[in-house]
Amino acid sequence: MQTMDTVEKKRERVPLNGVDTPTLFATINAVKGQPELARFKFRAHNRWVKGTHSHTTIGSFHGAGAEHTHASAFEYDADHPAVLVGTDQGPTPVEFVLHALGACLMAGIANVAAARGVTLTEVESRIEGDVDLRGILGITDAVRNGYEKIRVHFRIKGDGPPEKLREVVEQSRSRSAVFDVLTNRVPVEVTVDAG
Amino acid sequence: MQTMDTVEKKRERVPLNGVDTPTLFATINAVKGQPELARFKFRAHNRWVKGTHSHTTIGSFHGAGAEHTHASAFEYDADHPAVLVGTDQGPTPVEFVLHALGACLMAGIANVAAARGVTLTEVESRIEGDVDLRGILGITDAVRNGYEKIRVHFRIKGDGPPEKLREVVEQSRSRSAVFDVLTNRVPVEVTVDAG
């Protein structure tokens, strides 16, 4: 990251905001020298339970040249609420998209702030998406299936001036993986073993 | 849904696969007569904890002309794993995207199968996404920040012939909200209160 490089030369690398900044820069430098370390495969395994209720396990991923397992296998339920003829055993899948977006921007904010020497005290975001369900209900092709628009509103407090804090959010946005896939699309291949 | 309409005329509406098919069709018909009921707003509230660890609450949403709260407020942690300089308090945000995609396609499969009179016995999907982290690490602009490609592989078993089961998956894909936002992009607005 250009900004990180600049900071790197000027600032002593010390952990900040709970970010292990020295290790973060060491990781960036390792990947610069060995780009294949940057190739990751993330995975999830989803199983149908009943009705619109399904259960996902997130256990392992590949990256930095090796297989990794999470500290524990993370497990999540998703469902539709009663008003959408489900049993509300978990949030809807589209709500998990909002969570993913907020969490991705937040992780970036913490890393960028640490790299820039900005101490954060409190950061939160409220994420909201508008959807017209006539799409997924198949009532009209005039509306899309997914969100028409998503809004993310941040409140960020820290030791820098407001403009510097806003720049941290902007840098995170410009490097966010989830923001990228949502705003720039990604090819999705669906294959099926049936019977 | 054209297919649902066709089925609706031919088949008695009975619950199937845990899907309350009569209520599902009643909901579709209600929305046809009153399109404003289909306008939903989903929300998530994400708070920074420490480092790349953040915590999300999913509690309420607006739709069918009213405010709704989930049976309970759902809470999720997200983080980066140690290899990405986090503390692995939860999956990465990009893994939650895979979960959302798998769960969305699965809910659709259950609904479509019920509408078509197909009894499901076992359905699962494995979702995998490829990402080159040189993007988010800011090492090169030659790779994107997010997934380059996502693959979803289904295993589906039920009382229909393989071709019919594959058609159920295909109809779900064609009406999936999360598949839509990932493959067709969505505008995301980020605003900031700083200081």
Side-chain angles (χ1 to χ4, degrees), chain A residues 91-102:
Chain A
T92 58
V94 289
E95 287 167 295
F96 276 109
V97 168
L98 303 183
H99 158 57
L101 176 61

Side-chain angles (χ1 to χ4, degrees), chain B residues 31-78:
Chain B
V31 172
K32 274 182 190 163
Q34 226 179 320
E36 66 274 17
L37 296 178
R39 301 206 64 83
F40 275 62
K41 281 184 197 296
F42 290 105
R43 305 175 190 128
H45 181 205
N46 179 256
R47 269 172 290 195
W48 178 57
V49 179
K50 190 179 177 189
T52 51
H53 176 202
S54 70
H55 186 83
T56 293
T57 305
I58 297 174
S60 70
F61 58 96
H62 182 92
E67 277 291 304
H68 300 268
T69 50
H70 282 294
S72 62
F74 298 113
E75 312 253 347
Y76 303 99
D77 291 284

Side-chain angles (χ1 to χ4, degrees), chain B:
Chain B
M1 205 175 289
Q2 290 181 340
T3 314
M4 283 194 177
D5 283 348
T6 311
V7 170
E8 189 180 355
K9 281 160 199 150
K10 286 192 217 150
R11 195 184 310 274
E12 194 188 354
R13 298 165 183 173
V14 292
L16 193 61
N17 302 323
V19 174
D20 182 352
T21 322
T23 302
L24 179 60
F25 281 115
T27 301
I28 292 171
N29 285 328
V31 172
K32 274 182 190 163
Q34 226 179 320
E36 66 274 17
L37 296 178
R39 301 206 64 83
F40 275 62
K41 281 184 197 296
F42 290 105
R43 305 175 190 128
H45 181 205
N46 179 256
R47 269 172 290 195
W48 178 57
V49 179
K50 190 179 177 189
T52 51
H53 176 202
S54 70
H55 186 83
T56 293
T57 305
I58 297 174
S60 70
F61 58 96
H62 182 92
E67 277 291 304
H68 300 268
T69 50
H70 282 294
S72 62
F74 298 113
E75 312 253 347
Y76 303 99
D77 291 284
D79 198 356
H80 288 182
V83 69
L84 296 175
V85 202
T87 55
D88 209 18
Q89 302 295 307
T92 59
V94 290
E95 287 167 296
F96 277 109
V97 169
L98 303 182
H99 158 57
L101 176 61
C104 191
L105 292 167
M106 192 63 88
I109 286 169
N111 280 340
V112 171
R116 295 184 178 187
V118 175
T119 300
L120 300 172
T121 50
E122 200 183 331
V123 198
E124 62 166 358
S125 75
R126 293 186 182 272
I127 313 109
E128 187 173 73
D130 304 329
V131 60
D132 184 333
L133 294 184
R134 287 180 299 163
I136 65 167
L137 293 173
I139 291 170
T140 172
D141 286 328
V143 301
R144 64 183 297 177
N145 297 318
Y147 287 123
E148 295 154 13
K149 174 140 196 189
I150 296 174
R151 290 171 298 280
V152 187
H153 184 67
F154 277 96
R155 283 183 57 241
I156 179 168
K157 294 183 182 187
D159 70 354
E163 192 46 38
K164 191 159 189 177
L165 295 171
R166 273 192 290 271
E167 285 167 8
V168 167
V169 177
E170 171 51 25
Q171 177 64 16
S172 170
R173 191 202 57 73
S174 77
R175 284 296 178 194
S176 163
V178 177
F179 183 90
D180 173 28
V181 295
L182 290 177
T183 58
N184 294 319
R185 82 178 64 177
V186 56
V188 177
E189 178 186 87
V190 179
T191 54
V192 183
D193 272 348

Side-chain angles (χ1 to χ4, degrees), chain A residues 39-189:
Chain A
R39 302 207 61 84
F40 276 62
K41 282 184 196 296
F42 289 106
R43 304 174 190 129
H45 179 206
N46 179 256
R47 268 172 291 194
W48 178 57
V49 179
K50 192 182 176 188
T52 51
H53 176 201
S54 71
H55 185 82
T56 294
T57 305
I58 297 173
S60 71
F61 59 96
H62 182 91
E67 276 290 304
H68 301 268
T69 50
H70 283 292
S72 62
F74 297 113
E75 312 252 347
Y76 302 99
D77 290 284
D79 198 356
H80 288 182
V83 69
L84 296 174
V85 203
T87 55
D88 209 19
Q89 302 297 306
T92 58
V94 289
E95 287 167 295
F96 276 109
V97 168
L98 303 183
H99 158 57
L101 176 61
C104 190
L105 292 166
M106 192 63 88
I109 286 170
N111 279 341
V112 172
R116 295 184 178 186
V118 174
T119 300
L120 299 173
T121 51
E122 199 182 332
V123 198
E124 62 166 358
S125 75
R126 293 187 180 271
I127 313 109
E128 187 172 72
D130 303 329
V131 61
D132 184 332
L133 294 184
R134 287 180 299 163
I136 64 167
L137 292 173
I139 292 171
T140 174
D141 286 329
V143 302
R144 65 185 295 176
N145 296 318
Y147 287 123
E148 296 152 12
K149 175 142 195 188
I150 296 174
R151 290 172 296 281
V152 188
H153 184 67
F154 277 96
R155 284 182 54 241
I156 178 169
K157 294 183 181 187
D159 72 355
E163 192 47 37
K164 193 159 188 178
L165 295 171
R166 272 192 291 270
E167 285 167 9
V168 167
V169 177
E170 171 52 25
Q171 177 64 16
S172 170
R173 191 202 57 74
S174 77
R175 284 297 179 194
S176 163
V178 178
F179 183 89
D180 174 28
V181 294
L182 290 177
T183 58
N184 294 320
R185 82 179 65 175
V186 55
V188 177
E189 178 185 86

